[in-house]
Amino acid sequence: MQLKFDSANDLARALQRAADAHHQHQEQTGRPDPDWPYWYAHYLEQEQAGRERVPTLPDRLDGPGVPVAVVTSRTEAELIAGMLRNNDVRAAVSADDAGGQYPALQTEGVRVLVAPSDEAEARRLLAAAGDAPA
């Protein structure tokens, strides 16, 4: 999903809403969130998608994830993770490329990770997507 804002002020207001919600999230968890940029992005995506209730805890993995796909680009990994999330599977992208700033650093592929409890469903969805006509 591509996020759209009408103006810099519109974006600033959206970021403030995300910051307020994230502050509540950190109070609930009792710990700082080093993945706050992902949290904000997911919050804004859910908000623009018109979800009735924007979750206070976005899709993110608790603990180590299980790799279900290794691809050559972050874009492809994000598309796969988005498909999994659209099917209620928690998914994350893992790449050693300085947050996308230096793709050339990523020499071992970009991984799509899921929670261990979601692995079977993720693999089923990926297999079904592979069988879909192009």
Side-chain angles (χ1 to χ4, degrees):
M1 172 180 181
Q2 183 175 358
L3 300 179
K4 295 184 181 184
F5 300 94
D6 294 332
S7 66
N9 286 338
D10 186 33
L11 173 59
R13 286 189 298 273
L15 287 170
Q16 185 60 58
R17 288 190 302 275
D20 292 343
H22 188 256
H23 178 74
Q24 290 177 359
H25 162 70
Q26 286 190 143
E27 284 184 348
Q28 290 172 352
T29 63
R31 59 186 165 93
D33 180 9
D35 296 328
W36 67 267
Y38 175 80
W39 200 101
Y40 276 43
H42 184 77
Y43 180 94
L44 295 173
E45 181 181 63
Q46 294 296 305
E47 185 179 64
Q48 283 199 2
R51 302 288 198 269
E52 297 231 347
R53 182 185 75 81
V54 177
T56 57
L57 182 61
D59 293 340
R60 64 182 270 209
L61 307 179
D62 296 323
V66 176
V68 293
V70 179
V71 294
T72 58
S73 75
R74 180 178 285 272
T75 301
E76 186 178 2
E78 290 291 353
L79 288 169
I80 293 168
M83 182 274 292
L84 293 172
R85 289 182 198 120
N86 286 339
N87 286 280
D88 298 320
V89 173
R90 292 174 294 161
V93 172
S94 176
D96 189 16
D97 62 0
Q101 297 300 308
Y102 298 100
L105 293 177
Q106 184 59 51
T107 59
E108 296 181 22
V110 181
R111 295 176 310 279
V112 178
L113 307 173
V114 299
S117 60
D118 291 333
E119 180 181 9
E121 179 65 5
R123 291 193 186 282
R124 185 192 69 73
L125 289 165
L126 290 171
D131 292 339

